Amino acid sequence: MVAIFTRERGVILVARLDIPAEISRTSLADRGFGQALDRAAGAGADAVVLVAYDARPAGWLAMDSALALTTRAGLEVLFAALVDGDRWAHVGCDEQEWASSWRAVVAAADCGPVAELVGMGRGVLPDRASAIARLEPDRAFQARLPALSRRQRRTPVLATSWWQAFFDLAQPLDGPDAYNPSPEAVIGLARSLLDRDFRDALLAHLAPGILPLGELPFGAVLRARAVGAGAVGDHSPVADPQAQHLVLARCLLLATRSPEPLSAGPYVVASVLAGRLGDGMTAQAAVEAALLADPVHVLAGLIRQLISIGILPGYRPGAARPGGPGEVSPHAPYGHGVG
């Protein structure tokens, strides 16, 4: 059984559970469905999609159990279905046309949403291992990087023009990304994230509400805004998910091309942005990659603790509002309108 938990129609958690041969409501909860419900609730889930890939009586009983547990948890069931090989059927549908009738599963090649994702350069990956593999270091590119001294690996730089190019989203958002930073740009961008104030200001702009702008150093906030990070937040002209997914893809590109331990910074930024977008798998994989690059990275360690208790980085209950708690109003002098 697959449970896809959503918040405002955005995916925040996906859980897969084996269906035991002897199924009951208690046994399904014991198998981990109850824990998945708790984690989803902690991440602010308000609805769920349920699909059971088992047409045996156990599959029907598992679906009935999941529906009961979900209803008890107060979540809306957006869609529920049973899948049997290449056919599927609605569960709990009141419309006569759909109730108790089997239909053919649409092949991936004939699926409109899949084709749209592929056209955007965000092809659907076949499994979890493939999704995580895209976060692995690009050793071929790293071999082209200039050698860095120990001091250079620990000293931040500004990299203003390189960040402006990073946040230049003028290209069409419905095609493959043409962004291709040079080895020097990769080093400069990664080193700039050694400046924790600047890094935190970037995160505050990219995921409004995760850090209060009013409590960050004024200069760092201005730098992050000047390079374009403020144009991607929830209330910017390009706040749509496509733009944010584009920035996430660039963060992952930067992370995989950066040498260790500098890559920890881009991986952490990617983790927070993935959490903001509801991509829990990428958020977790990115923070694990950050800790492999730098085992003592403080922020990465904190994010891993959040994920371990079911809280996605970058998410906070309630939509951020300009001038609301934890955010600076663009219409007020700096420092005013901050909760």
Side-chain angles (χ1 to χ4, degrees), residues 87-102:
R87 61 179 190 158
W88 69 276
H90 266 294
V91 175
C93 180
D94 295 330
E95 298 182 16
Q96 186 62 35
E97 180 184 356
W98 292 95
S100 303
S101 61
W102 291 95

Side-chain angles (χ1 to χ4, degrees), residues 6 14-15 31 46 62 65 69 80 114 130 152 175 203 222 224 228 302 306 310:
T6 66
V14 179
R31 285 289 176 119
D46 54 26
S65 173
L69 291 168
V114 172
S130 299
Q152 288 175 317
L203 294 177
L222 287 183
L302 291 174
L306 287 176

Side-chain angles (χ1 to χ4, degrees), residues 228-241:
V232 188
D234 289 350
H235 306 290
S236 71
V238 289
D240 59 288

Side-chain angles (χ1 to χ4, degrees), residues 254-309:
L254 175 60
T256 57
R257 289 185 172 186
S258 299
E260 301 172 351
L262 293 178
S263 58
Y267 275 125
V268 163
V269 175
S271 179
V272 171
L273 189 52
R276 189 67 172 187
L277 292 168
D279 188 347
M281 182 175 64
T282 298
Q284 182 170 5
V287 80
E288 294 297 339
L291 289 169
L292 286 175
D294 183 0
V296 296
H297 197 282
V298 175
L299 183 54
L302 291 174
I303 291 175
R304 182 165 66 177
Q305 290 182 37
L306 287 176
I307 293 176
S308 70
I309 59 174

Side-chain angles (χ1 to χ4, degrees), residues 52-328:
Y53 292 84
D54 191 343
R56 301 173 304 165
W60 290 95
L61 290 171
M63 177 60 73
D64 180 66
S65 173
L67 290 171
L69 291 168
T70 300
T71 301
R72 189 181 306 165
L75 299 183
E76 177 188 1
V77 178
L78 298 177
F79 177 80
L82 280 169
V83 178
D84 178 23
D86 59 356
R87 61 179 190 158
W88 69 276
H90 266 294
V91 175
C93 180
D94 295 330
E95 298 182 16
Q96 186 62 35
E97 180 184 356
W98 292 95
S100 303
S101 61
W102 291 95
R103 295 177 177 269
V105 173
V106 179
D110 300 325
C111 183
V114 172
E116 182 178 358
L117 287 170
V118 172
M120 293 165 53
R122 293 170 49 207
V124 178
L125 296 170
D127 51 38
R128 179 182 179 86
S130 299
I132 294 177
R134 70 192 177 106
L135 277 70
E136 293 180 354
D138 185 347
R139 300 302 184 191
F141 185 91
Q142 291 179 3
R144 299 165 46 198
L145 297 175
L148 298 177
S149 66
R150 184 176 181 181
R151 179 178 178 277
Q152 288 175 317
R153 291 176 181 270
R154 296 183 176 182
T155 306
V157 295
L158 292 178
T160 301
S161 61
W162 285 323
W163 276 115
Q164 289 171 342
F166 180 95
F167 285 112
D168 180 5
L169 307 180
Q171 66 172 8
L173 295 176
D174 57 353
D177 189 9
Y179 180 68
N180 185 28
S182 66
E184 292 74 20
V186 167
I187 291 294
L189 290 167
R191 288 184 63 188
S192 70
L193 293 177
L194 294 173
D195 182 340
R196 295 183 181 180
D197 291 336
F198 175 67
R199 179 203 66 196
D200 291 349
L202 279 180
L203 294 177
H205 281 297
L206 295 174
I210 187 174
L211 293 168
L213 285 171
E215 295 182 12
L216 297 175
F218 181 54
V221 172
L222 287 183
R223 281 179 56 203
R225 189 172 296 169
V227 301
V232 188
D234 289 350
H235 306 290
S236 71
V238 289
D240 59 288
Q242 287 190 22
Q244 296 180 358
H245 276 289
L246 183 61
V247 174
L248 172 59
R250 292 184 178 185
C251 284
L252 293 175
L253 177 69
L254 175 60
T256 57
R257 289 185 172 186
S258 299
E260 301 172 351
L262 293 178
S263 58
Y267 275 125
V268 163
V269 175
S271 179
V272 171
L273 189 52
R276 189 67 172 187
L277 292 168
D279 188 347
M281 182 175 64
T282 298
Q284 182 170 5
V287 80
E288 294 297 339
L291 289 169
L292 286 175
D294 183 0
V296 296
H297 197 282
V298 175
L299 183 54
L302 291 174
I303 291 175
R304 182 165 66 177
Q305 290 182 37
L306 287 176
I307 293 176
S308 70
I309 59 174
I311 300 176
L312 284 177
Y315 165 74
R316 69 184 177 112
R321 303 184 308 275
E327 189 169 354
V328 177

